[in-house]
Amino acid sequence: MTLRISIIGFGAVGQGVSEILMRANNRHPIRVVAIVDSRGAVVDAGGVDLADALQRKRSAGTVATADATGMTALDVIENVDHEIVVEATPTDITTGGIGLTHIRRAFECGRHVVTSNKGPLVVKYRELCELARANGLHFRFEATVGGAMPIINLSREVLAGNRILATEGVLNGTCNYILTRMDDEGVSYEHALGEAQELGIAEADPTADVDGIDTAAKIVILANSLFGMDVGYDDVDVTGITKITPEAFKLAKESGHTIKLIGEVQENRDSQDNRLRVAPKMVPRNHPLNIGGTFNLASIQTELAGRITIGGIGAGSIETASAILSDILWIAGVSGE
Amino acid sequence: MTLRISIIGFGAVGQGVSEILMRANNRHPIRVVAIVDSRGAVVDAGGVDLADALQRKRSAGTVATADATGMTALDVIENVDHEIVVEATPTDITTGGIGLTHIRRAFECGRHVVTSNKGPLVVKYRELCELARANGLHFRFEATVGGAMPIINLSREVLAGNRILATEGVLNGTCNYILTRMDDEGVSYEHALGEAQELGIAEADPTADVDGIDTAAKIVILANSLFGMDVGYDDVDVTGITKITPEAFKLAKESGHTIKLIGEVQENRDSQDNRLRVAPKMVPRNHPLNIGGTFNLASIQTELAGRITIGGIGAGSIETASAILSDILWIAGVSGE
């Protein structure tokens, strides 16, 4: 059975999904029946021409066709026949943003949701899961944490039966790039940040990354989805990397350590005093968390298997889209057979 | 629905499975209806008393009860009603050993198989998969490669849709312990081996580990199961670690490297000249494969997601049993709903 999908939001991730499906050349049982961005949509029940759509976006700045200019995401979600909504609009971790509205409506309209959008999960994880369950639908979000690093599906499926006690990880590629450069070259934070901005690894306004906000959002998602907690952004104790000096790296080095921005979730079943934290930490040089560049890595402490580590490229259009594809194929597998 | 299982072979892994199920206290939908070792069996359709069985094995050297002394694995597989055979007898990678007979018979009798036994997969992977398929049964073997490191199920399920181009890994904890000690302390191979033997990390006859045989068996299993190859032990080019000197480590160190025993599979679609190799390799100090002690780690090169790494404890009764449990629960999930 072919699953029909819509792509809501046509930035790096939405375009990555189109790119992958185009390259796969119908190898997967997936047909894109609508793509929408902020200016309009393209809709084709027989399958959107993905090469055309990507071309139009690049040249005209919108995916919209003349007949569907002004058509909104909600129009598509409500009125186009399809099974899966791929929600990939820009994230807003304070309110959940427009993504939250899209996901709610998708479930109300009987459509599964696959998303890379952290905001809705940080703000309303439990409500969205309950809405999906009440409607007999799937809600998958591997792409929200760590790009191509498959921590969520690994933990929930492969490690089933093996209780997770704690997780800690390097979950932000921009911060890790900056810290790796500071460690390797002895340069200042400002210098390494400038370098990262030149390379397009850090944004012009790097606040969300360097202040630990992005990592904290991922910690909230892991806490809710892997540990069954019901927490929000304010439950995380957050310190960023902007105050780290070359001297701190020198001291760390002298004792065989480096400094990494570590996000952690630790469950305390007895006291309900769970630990959710993002902060720079000393990490021994031969520790699995001492990975370089923009790679992400998480260490999962399990009851039976001890420590399991999982790593992958933390960002990138195709890499993040590959996580979305694996979620879509999972739904195809469980609901299509 | 409760799944009934038999445990064939009651060494470290079989006892680990019993231990885990006992601790889980009926949390899982699994009932052990028979356990067999080389001297006999215990059979109870209502559920074997696992604490008693473990106690009997420790004190009497066999799990057998008086009425089932001399009962064989084949008797259990053929005549006891159950859904899943857990095959955990000692491995023989030359002939497949008795485990091969057990697995064939299990499929012929309509039972799913979960195993930690490398031999049958190294010798007859394709035949066993076809036999399982022909009978509509599941064949799961996460525990055969890397103990608790979930490389097989990660690759086959979580990374579905994402073609795997190559895999390389540190897949033998004994070798890695010896090499880590040689690197850390500058000691000779013989010295580090002696230390590992004292700690019970290396066996009295360490040949299978230090000559790379165990790693090569795992490479065969990965090549067949993740890459769809049809290869055997003789297709792997194998070099062990016994010739590595402290001087080699010194030279490696001077250029920022260490030495690891690396197993690798690389597919060459054009020439059919696939590369299957086990050999000591120079690894940069900040490379993900530079992990210490008995940890195992694999790096998986994928088409869409780039490099994914997965690590876990490579051996141990409970750790390996946890991989078996995840396979059993997977079968419970797909066949029980």
Side-chain angles (χ1 to χ4, degrees):
Chain A
M1 191 184 86
T2 295
L3 286 176
R4 294 167 297 179
I5 73 169
S6 67
I7 299 175
I8 309 297
F10 206 48
V13 177
Q15 291 178 46
V17 172
S18 302
E19 191 82 44
I20 286 181
L21 291 175
M22 197 174 67
R23 284 195 219 161
N25 206 4
N26 296 321
R27 179 154 55 95
H28 305 302
I30 298 169
R31 187 194 306 150
V32 180
V33 295
I35 304 177
V36 56
D37 61 23
S38 56
R39 288 163 59 184
V42 51
V43 178
D44 188 335
V48 170
D49 184 320
L50 298 173
D52 268 12
L54 286 162
Q55 175 55 36
R56 206 159 47 243
K57 180 77 181 180
R58 272 158 211 163
S59 57
T62 175
V63 75
T65 48
D67 58 319
T69 304
M71 189 171 185
T72 67
L74 287 177
D75 294 336
V76 167
I77 293 169
E78 290 167 4
N79 303 319
V80 175
D81 273 345
H82 62 298
E83 284 76 36
I84 302 180
V85 170
V86 174
E87 218 294 330
T89 62
T91 203
D92 176 340
I93 65 160
T94 312
T95 66
I98 194 164
L100 181 56
T101 309
H102 295 159
I103 296 176
R104 278 193 184 123
R105 201 76 197 101
F107 288 140
E108 287 161 4
C109 294
R111 316 204 197 283
H112 307 294
V113 173
V114 173
T115 190
S116 58
N117 191 342
K118 285 184 277 294
L121 283 100
V122 170
V123 175
K124 291 285 178 195
Y125 177 77
R126 191 155 288 197
E127 178 202 311
L128 294 175
C129 287
E130 275 160 16
L131 195 54
R133 203 173 307 125
N135 289 284
L137 296 162
H138 298 296
F139 183 31
R140 307 273 297 182
F141 43 84
E142 182 64 75
T144 58
V145 179
M149 176 186 74
I151 181 172
I152 293 172
N153 296 336
L154 174 80
S155 303
R156 301 217 296 186
E157 283 136 42
V158 177
L159 301 181
N162 201 340
R163 199 157 73 82
I164 296 175
L165 309 174
T167 297
E168 55 176 356
V170 171
L171 302 174
N172 183 281
T174 305
C175 288
N176 204 50
Y177 178 84
I178 293 171
L179 296 177
T180 303
R181 293 298 294 166
M182 290 179 72
D183 187 58
D184 287 351
E185 309 293 336
V187 299
S188 69
Y189 164 75
E190 289 74 18
H191 183 100
L193 170 63
E195 228 183 61
Q197 285 171 323
E198 268 172 42
L199 291 168
I201 291 172
E203 295 183 49
D205 175 2
T207 316
D209 291 319
V210 300
D211 281 355
I213 298 168
D214 172 75
T215 303
K218 290 166 180 167
I219 286 299
V220 170
I221 294 173
L222 294 179
N224 289 336
S225 63
L226 304 188
F227 294 79
M229 296 181 189
D230 186 13
V231 297
Y233 187 86
D234 292 339
D235 296 305
V236 189
D237 184 9
V238 187
T239 309
I241 64 166
T242 60
K243 301 272 174 22
I244 305 177
T245 61
E247 288 67 38
F249 271 101
K250 230 166 114 184
L251 282 173
K253 233 171 207 171
E254 282 168 17
S255 65
H257 290 73
T258 185
I259 301 170
K260 294 289 178 194
L261 184 69
I262 303 291
E264 47 182 327
V265 185
Q266 201 168 332
E267 196 172 21
N268 192 334
R269 295 218 160 182
D270 301 327
S271 72
Q272 292 285 315
D273 186 17
N274 299 317
R275 177 151 134 182
L276 305 174
R277 198 165 71 160
V278 176
K281 266 180 94 167
M282 304 264 280
V283 171
R285 295 222 155 247
N286 64 354
H287 193 278
L289 286 172
N290 181 18
I291 39 128
T294 59
F295 210 68
N296 280 12
L297 193 130
S299 168
I300 306 164
Q301 195 62 39
T302 69
E303 185 185 9
L304 301 173
R307 184 167 71 197
I308 304 265
T309 67
I310 178 81
I313 294 170
S317 165
I318 296 294
E319 290 82 358
T320 305
S322 81
I324 288 185
L325 176 66
S326 72
D327 277 346
I328 296 174
L329 290 176
W330 183 90
I331 294 175
V334 295
S335 69
E337 291 183 336
Chain B
M1 189 185 86
T2 295
L3 285 177
R4 294 167 297 179
I5 73 170
S6 67
I7 298 175
I8 310 296
F10 206 49
V13 177
Q15 291 177 47
V17 172
S18 302
E19 190 82 45
I20 285 180
L21 292 175
M22 196 174 69
R23 284 196 220 160
N25 207 3
N26 297 320
R27 179 154 55 97
H28 305 302
I30 298 167
R31 187 193 307 151
V32 179
V33 294
I35 304 176
V36 55
D37 61 24
S38 56
R39 287 163 59 185
V42 52
V43 178
D44 188 335
V48 170
D49 184 321
L50 299 173
D52 268 11
L54 286 162
Q55 175 55 36
R56 204 157 50 241
K57 180 76 180 179
R58 272 158 212 162
S59 57
T62 176
V63 75
T65 47
D67 57 320
T69 304
M71 189 170 187
T72 68
L74 287 177
D75 294 336
V76 166
I77 293 169
E78 291 167 4
N79 303 319
V80 175
D81 273 345
H82 60 299
E83 284 76 35
I84 302 179
V85 170
V86 174
E87 217 294 332
T89 61
T91 203
D92 176 338
I93 65 159
T94 312
T95 65
I98 194 164
L100 181 55
T101 309
H102 295 160
I103 295 175
R104 279 193 184 123
R105 201 75 199 104
F107 289 140
E108 288 161 2
C109 294
R111 316 202 196 283
H112 307 294
V113 173
V114 173
T115 189
S116 58
N117 192 342
K118 284 183 277 293
L121 283 101
V122 170
V123 176
K124 293 284 176 194
Y125 178 76
R126 193 155 285 199
E127 178 203 310
L128 294 175
C129 287
E130 276 160 16
L131 194 55
R133 204 175 306 125
N135 289 284
L137 296 163
H138 298 297
F139 184 30
R140 307 275 297 182
F141 43 84
E142 181 65 76
T144 58
V145 179
M149 176 186 73
I151 182 173
I152 293 172
N153 296 335
L154 173 79
S155 304
R156 303 218 295 186
E157 283 137 43
V158 177
L159 302 180
N162 200 339
R163 198 157 72 81
I164 295 175
L165 309 174
T167 298
E168 56 177 353
V170 170
L171 303 174
N172 182 281
T174 304
C175 289
N176 204 50
Y177 177 85
I178 292 171
L179 296 176
T180 303
R181 293 298 294 167
M182 289 179 74
D183 187 59
D184 287 351
E185 309 293 335
V187 298
S188 69
Y189 164 75
E190 289 74 18
H191 182 100
L193 170 62
E195 227 183 61
Q197 286 171 321
E198 267 171 43
L199 290 168
I201 292 171
E203 295 183 48
D205 175 1
T207 316
D209 291 320
V210 299
D211 281 355
I213 298 168
D214 171 76
T215 302
K218 290 166 179 165
I219 285 299
V220 171
I221 294 173
L222 294 179
N224 289 336
S225 63
L226 304 189
F227 294 78
M229 295 182 190
D230 186 13
V231 297
Y233 186 86
D234 293 339
D235 297 304
V236 190
D237 184 9
V238 187
T239 310
I241 64 166
T242 59
K243 300 272 175 19
I244 306 176
T245 61
E247 287 68 37
F249 272 101
K250 231 167 115 182
L251 283 172
K253 231 171 209 172
E254 281 168 19
S255 66
H257 290 74
T258 185
I259 301 170
K260 294 289 180 194
L261 184 70
I262 304 291
E264 46 181 329
V265 185
Q266 201 168 333
E267 196 170 21
N268 192 334
R269 294 218 161 184
D270 301 327
S271 71
Q272 292 284 315
D273 186 18
N274 299 317
R275 178 150 133 183
L276 304 174
R277 199 165 71 162
V278 175
K281 266 181 95 168
M282 302 265 280
V283 170
R285 296 221 155 249
N286 63 355
H287 193 280
L289 286 172
N290 181 18
I291 39 128
T294 59
F295 210 67
N296 281 12
L297 193 129
S299 168
I300 306 165
Q301 195 62 38
T302 70
E303 185 184 9
L304 301 172
R307 184 168 71 198
I308 304 264
T309 67
I310 178 81
I313 294 170
S317 166
I318 296 294
E319 290 82 357
T320 305
S322 81
I324 289 185
L325 176 67
S326 72
D327 278 345
I328 297 173
L329 291 176
W330 183 88
I331 294 175
V334 295
S335 70
E337 288 182 342

